[in-house]
Short mmCIF file of all heavy atoms in Angstrom, two decimals:
data_model
loop_
_atom_site.label_atom_id
_atom_site.label_comp_id
_atom_site.label_asym_id
_atom_site.label_seq_id
_atom_site.Cartn_x
_atom_site.Cartn_y
_atom_site.Cartn_z
N ALA H 5 152.44 73.50 138.49
CA ALA H 5 152.38 73.21 137.11
C ALA H 5 151.03 73.59 136.49
O ALA H 5 151.04 74.15 135.44
CB ALA H 5 152.72 71.67 136.85
N TYR H 6 149.94 73.29 137.18
CA TYR H 6 148.61 73.55 136.67
C TYR H 6 148.48 75.10 136.46
O TYR H 6 148.05 75.58 135.39
CB TYR H 6 147.52 73.06 137.57
CG TYR H 6 146.08 73.06 136.93
CD1 TYR H 6 145.68 71.95 136.31
CD2 TYR H 6 145.37 74.17 137.03
CE1 TYR H 6 144.51 71.93 135.77
CE2 TYR H 6 144.06 74.19 136.48
CZ TYR H 6 143.64 73.07 135.75
OH TYR H 6 142.34 73.05 135.29
N LEU H 7 148.84 75.90 137.46
CA LEU H 7 148.79 77.39 137.35
C LEU H 7 149.65 77.85 136.25
O LEU H 7 149.29 78.86 135.61
CB LEU H 7 149.15 77.99 138.72
CG LEU H 7 148.19 77.72 139.81
CD1 LEU H 7 148.79 78.29 141.10
CD2 LEU H 7 146.84 78.53 139.55
N ARG H 8 150.84 77.18 135.98
CA ARG H 8 151.64 77.60 134.88
C ARG H 8 150.94 77.37 133.57
O ARG H 8 150.94 78.26 132.71
CB ARG H 8 152.95 76.78 134.92
CG ARG H 8 153.98 77.19 133.82
CD ARG H 8 155.34 76.74 134.20
NE ARG H 8 155.35 75.34 134.36
CZ ARG H 8 155.79 74.73 135.65
NH1 ARG H 8 156.12 75.44 136.56
NH2 ARG H 8 155.81 73.40 135.63
N GLY H 9 150.14 76.21 133.44
CA GLY H 9 149.40 76.08 132.28
C GLY H 9 148.25 77.05 132.12
O GLY H 9 147.96 77.49 130.96
N VAL H 10 147.62 77.43 133.23
CA VAL H 10 146.60 78.44 133.19
C VAL H 10 147.10 79.70 132.67
O VAL H 10 146.42 80.36 131.73
CB VAL H 10 145.90 78.61 134.60
CG1 VAL H 10 144.92 79.76 134.55
CG2 VAL H 10 145.17 77.38 134.97
N PHE H 11 148.24 80.15 133.17
CA PHE H 11 148.80 81.48 132.61
C PHE H 11 149.16 81.43 131.23
O PHE H 11 148.87 82.36 130.43
CB PHE H 11 150.02 81.83 133.50
CG PHE H 11 150.57 83.18 133.15
CD1 PHE H 11 150.03 84.29 133.82
CD2 PHE H 11 151.42 83.44 132.21
CE1 PHE H 11 150.54 85.56 133.55
CE2 PHE H 11 151.92 84.74 131.81
CZ PHE H 11 151.39 85.83 132.56
N LEU H 12 149.75 80.19 130.82
CA LEU H 12 150.10 80.12 129.33
C LEU H 12 148.88 80.26 128.53
O LEU H 12 148.88 80.82 127.35
CB LEU H 12 150.77 78.76 129.12
CG LEU H 12 152.35 78.70 129.46
CD1 LEU H 12 152.75 77.26 129.47
CD2 LEU H 12 153.10 79.57 128.56
N SER H 13 147.69 79.69 128.97
CA SER H 13 146.53 79.77 128.09
C SER H 13 145.80 81.10 128.25
O SER H 13 145.27 81.58 127.22
CB SER H 13 145.54 78.60 128.61
OG SER H 13 146.03 77.42 128.36
N ARG H 14 145.70 81.73 129.47
CA ARG H 14 144.79 82.81 129.60
C ARG H 14 145.42 83.87 130.46
O ARG H 14 144.75 84.70 131.13
CB ARG H 14 143.41 82.43 130.25
CG ARG H 14 142.53 81.66 129.29
CD ARG H 14 141.95 82.51 128.18
NE ARG H 14 141.04 81.88 127.34
CZ ARG H 14 141.33 81.10 126.34
NH1 ARG H 14 142.54 81.00 125.98
NH2 ARG H 14 140.28 80.54 125.73
N GLY H 15 146.75 83.99 130.61
CA GLY H 15 147.34 84.95 131.51
C GLY H 15 147.82 86.12 130.86
O GLY H 15 148.24 86.08 129.74
N SER H 16 147.89 87.16 131.68
CA SER H 16 148.55 88.52 131.18
C SER H 16 149.04 89.17 132.44
O SER H 16 148.54 89.06 133.51
CB SER H 16 147.55 89.36 130.40
OG SER H 16 146.53 89.76 131.27
N ILE H 17 150.13 90.04 132.14
CA ILE H 17 150.75 90.78 133.23
C ILE H 17 151.22 92.05 132.68
O ILE H 17 151.84 92.08 131.64
CB ILE H 17 151.85 89.82 133.97
CG1 ILE H 17 152.44 90.69 135.11
CG2 ILE H 17 152.83 89.44 132.99
CD1 ILE H 17 153.41 89.89 135.91
N ASN H 18 150.93 93.14 133.45
CA ASN H 18 151.49 94.44 133.01
C ASN H 18 152.98 94.52 133.21
O ASN H 18 153.57 93.85 134.13
CB ASN H 18 150.80 95.53 133.83
CG ASN H 18 149.33 95.75 133.39
OD1 ASN H 18 148.87 95.12 132.47
ND2 ASN H 18 148.67 96.68 134.09
N ARG H 19 153.66 95.40 132.42
CA ARG H 19 154.99 95.69 132.72
C ARG H 19 155.18 96.28 134.10
O ARG H 19 154.34 97.19 134.46
CB ARG H 19 155.60 96.66 131.62
CG ARG H 19 155.84 95.97 130.31
CD ARG H 19 156.67 96.87 129.40
NE ARG H 19 157.02 96.16 128.21
CZ ARG H 19 158.06 95.33 128.09
NH1 ARG H 19 158.77 95.09 129.15
NH2 ARG H 19 158.25 94.68 126.96
N PRO H 20 156.20 95.93 134.92
CA PRO H 20 156.30 96.58 136.23
C PRO H 20 156.50 97.99 136.22
O PRO H 20 156.42 98.62 137.29
CB PRO H 20 157.47 95.72 136.84
CG PRO H 20 158.28 95.22 135.56
CD PRO H 20 157.16 94.95 134.51
N GLU H 21 156.96 98.62 135.10
CA GLU H 21 157.11 100.06 135.15
C GLU H 21 155.76 100.78 135.25
O GLU H 21 155.75 101.94 135.72
CB GLU H 21 157.76 100.51 133.79
CG GLU H 21 159.14 100.07 133.60
CD GLU H 21 159.35 98.67 133.01
OE1 GLU H 21 158.33 97.98 132.90
OE2 GLU H 21 160.44 98.25 132.64
N GLY H 22 154.59 100.19 134.85
CA GLY H 22 153.35 100.72 134.97
C GLY H 22 152.64 100.28 136.28
O GLY H 22 153.27 100.03 137.29
N GLU H 23 151.34 100.19 136.11
CA GLU H 23 150.58 99.72 137.24
C GLU H 23 150.73 98.26 137.46
O GLU H 23 150.79 97.49 136.49
CB GLU H 23 149.00 100.08 137.08
CG GLU H 23 148.74 101.53 137.09
CD GLU H 23 147.24 101.90 137.01
OE1 GLU H 23 146.41 100.87 136.92
OE2 GLU H 23 146.91 103.00 137.05
N TYR H 24 150.78 97.74 138.62
CA TYR H 24 150.89 96.35 138.90
C TYR H 24 149.53 95.64 138.70
O TYR H 24 148.50 96.04 139.34
CB TYR H 24 151.36 96.04 140.34
CG TYR H 24 152.68 96.71 140.61
CD1 TYR H 24 152.85 97.65 141.71
CD2 TYR H 24 153.79 96.38 139.96
CE1 TYR H 24 154.01 98.15 141.99
CE2 TYR H 24 155.05 96.95 140.21
CZ TYR H 24 155.12 97.83 141.25
OH TYR H 24 156.43 98.32 141.53
N HIS H 25 149.58 94.75 137.75
CA HIS H 25 148.25 93.96 137.45
C HIS H 25 148.58 92.65 136.76
O HIS H 25 149.29 92.65 135.82
CB HIS H 25 147.33 94.83 136.57
CG HIS H 25 146.00 94.19 136.49
ND1 HIS H 25 145.00 94.29 137.43
CD2 HIS H 25 145.43 93.52 135.46
CE1 HIS H 25 143.98 93.66 136.98
NE2 HIS H 25 144.14 93.20 135.77
N LEU H 26 148.03 91.53 137.32
CA LEU H 26 148.20 90.22 136.66
C LEU H 26 146.85 89.63 136.70
O LEU H 26 146.05 89.79 137.68
CB LEU H 26 149.09 89.36 137.42
CG LEU H 26 149.37 87.89 136.92
CD1 LEU H 26 150.78 87.51 137.16
CD2 LEU H 26 148.32 86.96 137.45
N GLU H 27 146.38 89.02 135.54
CA GLU H 27 145.06 88.42 135.50
C GLU H 27 145.09 87.14 134.66
O GLU H 27 145.89 86.93 133.83
CB GLU H 27 144.08 89.44 134.93
CG GLU H 27 144.27 89.81 133.47
CD GLU H 27 143.25 90.80 133.03
OE1 GLU H 27 142.80 91.63 133.79
OE2 GLU H 27 142.85 90.68 131.83
N LEU H 28 144.08 86.36 135.05
CA LEU H 28 143.81 85.10 134.34
C LEU H 28 142.36 85.13 133.81
O LEU H 28 141.51 85.25 134.68
CB LEU H 28 144.01 83.90 135.29
CG LEU H 28 145.41 83.79 136.00
CD1 LEU H 28 145.40 82.71 137.10
CD2 LEU H 28 146.51 83.54 134.97
N LEU H 29 142.19 85.09 132.60
CA LEU H 29 140.91 85.32 131.88
C LEU H 29 140.23 83.97 131.69
O LEU H 29 140.72 83.26 130.82
CB LEU H 29 141.05 86.19 130.70
CG LEU H 29 139.85 86.69 130.05
CD1 LEU H 29 139.13 87.73 130.83
CD2 LEU H 29 140.14 87.28 128.60
N LEU H 30 139.09 83.65 132.32
CA LEU H 30 138.45 82.43 132.18
C LEU H 30 137.06 82.59 131.87
O LEU H 30 136.40 83.49 132.24
CB LEU H 30 138.59 81.57 133.53
CG LEU H 30 140.07 81.31 133.98
CD1 LEU H 30 140.04 80.84 135.47
CD2 LEU H 30 140.75 80.38 133.12
N ASN H 31 136.51 81.64 131.00
CA ASN H 31 135.11 81.71 130.57
C ASN H 31 134.22 80.73 131.23
O ASN H 31 133.11 80.47 130.79
CB ASN H 31 135.03 81.55 129.07
CG ASN H 31 135.60 80.30 128.57
OD1 ASN H 31 136.00 79.39 129.32
ND2 ASN H 31 135.66 80.08 127.28
N ASP H 32 134.68 80.14 132.33
CA ASP H 32 133.88 79.13 133.07
C ASP H 32 133.91 79.42 134.54
O ASP H 32 135.00 79.59 135.14
CB ASP H 32 134.55 77.69 132.83
CG ASP H 32 133.78 76.69 133.63
OD1 ASP H 32 132.66 76.33 133.24
OD2 ASP H 32 134.30 76.26 134.74
N ASN H 33 132.71 79.56 135.14
CA ASN H 33 132.57 79.95 136.50
C ASN H 33 133.23 79.00 137.47
O ASN H 33 133.99 79.41 138.42
CB ASN H 33 131.07 80.11 136.84
CG ASN H 33 130.82 80.63 138.22
OD1 ASN H 33 131.26 81.71 138.60
ND2 ASN H 33 130.24 79.78 139.07
N ARG H 34 133.01 77.72 137.29
CA ARG H 34 133.56 76.81 138.19
C ARG H 34 135.10 76.70 138.14
O ARG H 34 135.76 76.50 139.20
CB ARG H 34 132.99 75.32 137.92
CG ARG H 34 131.51 75.20 138.48
CD ARG H 34 131.12 73.76 138.49
NE ARG H 34 130.98 73.22 137.05
CZ ARG H 34 130.81 71.92 136.89
NH1 ARG H 34 130.91 71.00 137.90
NH2 ARG H 34 130.74 71.49 135.70
N MET H 35 135.55 76.76 136.99
CA MET H 35 137.03 76.75 136.86
C MET H 35 137.67 78.03 137.48
O MET H 35 138.68 77.98 138.12
CB MET H 35 137.44 76.64 135.36
CG MET H 35 139.03 76.69 135.20
SD MET H 35 139.53 76.22 133.57
CE MET H 35 139.31 74.44 133.69
N ALA H 36 137.10 79.17 137.27
CA ALA H 36 137.53 80.38 137.79
C ALA H 36 137.58 80.39 139.33
O ALA H 36 138.57 80.69 139.91
CB ALA H 36 136.66 81.60 137.40
N LEU H 37 136.49 79.78 139.95
CA LEU H 37 136.46 79.63 141.38
C LEU H 37 137.53 78.67 141.88
O LEU H 37 138.16 78.81 142.94
CB LEU H 37 135.11 79.24 141.85
CG LEU H 37 133.98 80.27 141.73
CD1 LEU H 37 132.61 79.70 141.99
CD2 LEU H 37 134.21 81.55 142.51
N ALA H 38 137.73 77.56 141.12
CA ALA H 38 138.74 76.57 141.49
C ALA H 38 140.11 77.11 141.41
O ALA H 38 140.98 76.91 142.33
CB ALA H 38 138.55 75.29 140.65
N VAL H 39 140.41 77.94 140.35
CA VAL H 39 141.78 78.55 140.21
C VAL H 39 141.91 79.58 141.32
O VAL H 39 143.05 79.61 141.89
CB VAL H 39 141.88 79.20 138.80
CG1 VAL H 39 143.10 80.10 138.75
CG2 VAL H 39 141.94 78.14 137.73
N GLN H 40 140.90 80.37 141.68
CA GLN H 40 140.98 81.29 142.82
C GLN H 40 141.37 80.50 144.06
O GLN H 40 142.23 81.03 144.83
CB GLN H 40 139.74 82.04 142.91
CG GLN H 40 139.72 83.08 144.06
CD GLN H 40 138.39 83.80 144.18
OE1 GLN H 40 137.38 83.15 144.14
NE2 GLN H 40 138.47 85.09 144.49
N LYS H 41 140.67 79.43 144.26
CA LYS H 41 140.92 78.74 145.48
C LYS H 41 142.33 78.09 145.55
O LYS H 41 142.99 78.10 146.57
CB LYS H 41 139.87 77.54 145.64
CG LYS H 41 139.96 76.74 146.99
CD LYS H 41 138.82 75.77 147.01
CE LYS H 41 138.89 74.96 148.37
NZ LYS H 41 137.81 73.96 148.41
N MET H 42 142.71 77.68 144.39
CA MET H 42 144.17 77.11 144.33
C MET H 42 145.17 78.24 144.55
O MET H 42 146.16 78.01 145.28
CB MET H 42 144.37 76.54 142.89
CG MET H 42 145.64 75.69 142.76
SD MET H 42 145.99 75.05 141.12
CE MET H 42 144.45 74.17 140.82
N LEU H 43 144.95 79.49 144.02
CA LEU H 43 145.84 80.54 144.33
C LEU H 43 145.81 80.90 145.90
O LEU H 43 146.82 81.25 146.43
CB LEU H 43 145.46 81.77 143.48
CG LEU H 43 145.69 81.66 141.97
CD1 LEU H 43 145.06 82.76 141.31
CD2 LEU H 43 147.32 81.65 141.77
N ASP H 44 144.66 80.76 146.43
CA ASP H 44 144.66 81.00 147.90
C ASP H 44 145.44 80.02 148.67
O ASP H 44 146.00 80.38 149.76
CB ASP H 44 143.18 80.79 148.38
CG ASP H 44 142.32 82.07 148.17
OD1 ASP H 44 142.89 83.23 148.16
OD2 ASP H 44 141.03 82.03 147.95
N LYS H 45 145.65 78.84 148.31
CA LYS H 45 146.57 77.87 148.91
C LYS H 45 148.00 78.34 148.94
O LYS H 45 148.76 77.83 149.78
CB LYS H 45 146.39 76.40 148.24
CG LYS H 45 145.03 75.76 148.44
CD LYS H 45 144.95 74.47 147.89
CE LYS H 45 143.64 73.80 148.06
NZ LYS H 45 143.28 73.63 149.50
N PHE H 46 148.38 79.19 148.00
CA PHE H 46 149.67 79.67 148.02
C PHE H 46 149.71 81.11 148.61
O PHE H 46 150.64 81.92 148.50
CB PHE H 46 150.25 79.85 146.56
CG PHE H 46 150.50 78.54 145.93
CD1 PHE H 46 149.57 77.91 145.07
CD2 PHE H 46 151.66 77.93 146.26
CE1 PHE H 46 149.92 76.68 144.49
CE2 PHE H 46 151.91 76.62 145.65
CZ PHE H 46 151.07 76.06 144.75
N ALA H 47 148.58 81.51 149.35
CA ALA H 47 148.42 82.62 150.19
C ALA H 47 148.55 83.92 149.22
O ALA H 47 149.02 85.02 149.58
CB ALA H 47 149.55 82.89 151.21
N LEU H 48 147.99 83.78 147.98
CA LEU H 48 148.08 84.91 147.01
C LEU H 48 146.80 85.79 147.09
O LEU H 48 146.87 86.96 146.60
CB LEU H 48 148.28 84.41 145.58
CG LEU H 48 149.54 83.64 145.38
CD1 LEU H 48 149.61 83.10 143.93
CD2 LEU H 48 150.76 84.56 145.62
N GLU H 49 145.77 85.32 147.62
CA GLU H 49 144.53 86.13 147.84
C GLU H 49 144.07 86.88 146.61
O GLU H 49 143.98 88.13 146.63
CB GLU H 49 144.81 87.13 149.07
CG GLU H 49 145.22 86.42 150.35
CD GLU H 49 145.47 87.34 151.47
OE1 GLU H 49 145.48 88.55 151.18
OE2 GLU H 49 145.65 86.93 152.56
N PRO H 50 143.78 86.19 145.58
CA PRO H 50 143.42 86.91 144.31
C PRO H 50 141.89 87.39 144.43
O PRO H 50 141.11 86.99 145.19
CB PRO H 50 143.55 85.80 143.24
CG PRO H 50 143.08 84.59 144.09
CD PRO H 50 143.74 84.73 145.39
N GLY H 51 141.75 88.45 143.52
CA GLY H 51 140.37 88.96 143.38
C GLY H 51 139.70 88.25 142.26
O GLY H 51 140.28 87.60 141.46
#
């Protein structure tokens, strides 16, 4: 649910017909690292 809220606030995703790319745009370092760690728990391995 938290990740759903993050995407609603700062998420974007390319159309699958083009290049594959999804991103979450954050302006806080600690939150960005925490979200990255949370995604890792789902084995998503984000950059």
Side-chain angles (χ1 to χ4, degrees):
Y6 194 92
L7 290 172
R8 186 161 55 240
V10 173
F11 188 90
L12 280 169
S13 291
R14 288 289 187 272
S16 66
I17 179 173
N18 288 356
R19 285 194 174 277
E21 292 87 351
E23 293 185 359
Y24 299 122
H25 188 78
L26 179 148
E27 66 180 35
L28 305 171
L29 190 67
L30 303 166
N31 58 4
D32 176 78
N33 182 63
R34 284 194 292 167
M35 178 168 284
L37 292 174
V39 169
Q40 183 185 35
K41 186 175 181 180
M42 193 182 302
L43 290 169
D44 277 332
K45 291 184 180 298
F46 291 99
L48 295 178
E49 302 175 355

